[in-house]
Amino acid sequence: MKTVRYILWGLALLALVIAAGHQLSHFLGTDAENVDGFQPAFTLVNHQGDTVSEATYRGNWALVFFGFTNCPDICPTTLAELAEVMDRLSAESKEVTPLFISVDPARDSIEALTEYVSAFHPSIVGLTGSDKQISNAVSSFKAYFEREAQDSAPDGYTMAHTSSIYLMSPAGYFVRTFKYGTPPEDILEDLRGRI
Amino acid sequence: MTYSLFRSLIVAMSLFMPLVSASYAVAEPVRKDAMVVEAPWARASIGTSRPSAAYLTIHNEGTSGDVLIGIQTSVAGKADVHTMTMTDGVARMGVAGAVEIPAGNKVELKPGGMHIMLMKLAQPLEKGKSFSMTLRFEKAGNITLTVPVLGIGATGPGE
Ligand SMILES: [Cu+2]
């Protein structure tokens, strides 16, 4: 009887060691992949009005997209694509956070962002901030945006912006980008290979 | 025997017909002389404070070029053709101005390319509804279309 108990304890211990080793190698694997990666940093306000930073989203994979709510073409198609990815991830979607960072804080108030992102998917987080916070955030991702005067646009201007989706690891490292128009299937396949 | 077969055929057809027409979401092409406008659609808007976009394909089946010089619709106070260009991954919206439609060519307005920017919306564009829009060509004159409104995240005319 005692022997059986020892064997069971032994097996439990072995399972624990294997699990820990798996976690460790998983963690090292993630880090190794990002030897040349970088960790973007930001302080912004989410569409619920809370101040957030890059640390807020640690522990989850993040799909980051830059845009503005007055954008009628690239932004809705990309957000719809993120929505499709989130829907098709099903259970794994808990490990992914889509972030929409506004590059047009003058027009994108917290209310405007709420209205906009919620039209696509409940999981999408809209982020805005002051001009300085936005430009710091965008440059920390090594992304780009610029306000451009244009008579044929609402309020006389439009925003040029990086159109790729950035994938960040749970440790907050840049992993890769998905260029504009990447089919949702390709993003899903990439994510499933990592989660 | 023949009658009952005929009747079941009618029943089967009447069951099938509404399905076909309902799934055929792409608008019929509108033709004027050699100019054909195909598959128009617009993106639903959220209220009226932000612009929306409309897309379509213009097919010039004629032997001489034409130019799209203007767009008019009662749903938008301002409607202009815009370009989207992608340089080093940066998306940039520009003004197309008058759009050349060369003889025998198709010019496609689609997400990520050219779009008709619908600004100063007079009413929200609601999915499932449609509105009237007139394209003005230098030679072909006015072509009026019915534009169905698709979802906010639609990427093509069939959605
Ligand atoms: Cu535009």
Side-chain angles (χ1 to χ4, degrees):
Chain A
M1 205 52 189
K2 230 177 184 171
T3 328
V4 174
R5 216 158 65 196
Y6 282 138
I7 290 169
L8 283 176
W9 275 111
L11 282 174
L13 193 70
L14 188 70
L16 203 71
V17 168
I18 290 168
H22 180 75
Q23 279 299 311
L24 191 69
S25 70
H26 191 73
F27 179 71
L28 288 175
T30 311
D31 257 2
E33 194 185 326
N34 296 297
V35 159
D36 298 309
F38 56 96
Q39 287 178 296
F42 56 82
T43 302
L44 294 166
V45 183
N46 71 12
H47 72 266
Q48 252 109 33
D50 309 314
T51 300
V52 296
S53 74
E54 73 286 352
T56 311
Y57 305 102
R58 290 270 161 85
N60 252 18
W61 296 90
L63 290 167
V64 184
F65 178 65
F66 304 92
F68 61 115
T69 69
N70 271 259
C71 160
D73 187 68
I74 297 280
C75 304
T77 41
T78 304
L79 288 178
E81 188 172 293
L82 287 175
E84 189 181 336
V85 167
M86 293 308 286
D87 278 340
R88 289 170 62 181
L89 273 174
S90 58
E92 292 155 316
S93 68
K94 281 194 220 64
E95 295 174 52
V96 181
T97 311
L99 301 175
F100 175 70
I101 300 181
S102 169
V103 294
D104 186 14
R107 284 185 292 205
D108 292 344
S109 62
I110 291 163
E111 294 73 27
L113 270 179
T114 305
E115 196 178 44
Y116 195 71
V117 296
S118 60
F120 294 93
H121 201 272
S123 69
I124 301 174
V125 178
L127 299 175
T128 187
S130 66
D131 287 343
K132 186 101 187 88
Q133 286 174 324
I134 296 292
S135 62
N136 284 346
V138 175
S139 53
S140 90
F141 278 89
K142 303 186 184 186
Y144 175 88
F145 78 104
E146 194 183 1
R147 183 181 160 132
E148 294 183 339
Q150 194 192 92
D151 290 339
S152 176
D155 310 312
Y157 75 95
T158 183
M159 306 300 300
H161 58 92
T162 298
S163 59
S164 303
I165 296 166
Y166 284 60
L167 176 64
M168 312 302 297
S169 76
Y173 282 91
F174 166 79
V175 179
R176 62 166 295 179
T177 55
F178 299 100
K179 73 173 200 302
Y180 172 75
T182 302
E185 296 74 39
D186 295 4
I187 299 177
L188 276 165
E189 198 190 321
D190 182 277
L191 287 176
R192 287 192 176 124
R194 296 175 194 277
I195 296 171
Chain B
M1 189 63 186
T2 330
Y3 174 72
S4 78
L5 187 76
F6 182 66
R7 207 175 58 174
S8 49
L9 208 87
I10 293 286
V11 169
M13 271 172 71
S14 64
L15 279 172
F16 193 61
M17 287 304 277
L19 240 150
V20 172
S21 57
S23 67
Y24 190 73
V26 181
E28 291 287 333
V30 177
R31 168 186 293 273
K32 189 179 180 192
D33 303 326
M35 197 62 82
V36 187
V37 183
E38 297 161 1
W41 63 280
R43 191 180 294 295
S45 72
I46 309 168
T48 55
S49 60
R50 282 178 284 268
S52 194
Y55 306 88
L56 43 81
T57 298
I58 304 165
H59 191 182
N60 182 356
E61 294 179 350
T63 49
S64 60
D66 204 342
V67 186
L68 172 64
I69 48 175
I71 294 140
Q72 226 163 7
T73 170
S74 62
V75 300
K78 193 169 154 69
D80 292 335
V81 181
H82 284 174
T83 56
M84 282 300 309
T85 49
M86 206 68 85
T87 26
D88 300 324
V90 175
R92 192 172 263 111
M93 190 167 76
V95 187
V99 183
E100 301 274 345
I101 319 289
N105 272 49
K106 263 189 187 188
V107 174
E108 197 181 354
L109 278 65
K110 59 175 185 201
M114 277 194 285
H115 58 266
I116 296 168
M117 181 97 149
L118 302 170
M119 293 165 280
K120 296 184 178 149
L121 293 181
Q123 61 192 76
L125 301 185
E126 286 173 50
K127 183 182 174 178
K129 303 239 169 108
S130 61
F131 60 89
S132 169
M133 183 163 80
T134 302
L135 307 186
R136 207 162 94 244
F137 294 90
E138 211 171 67
K139 292 175 190 154
N142 288 352
I143 299 183
T144 299
L145 333 148
T146 300
V147 184
V149 180
L150 307 185
I152 192 167
T155 55
E159 286 169 37

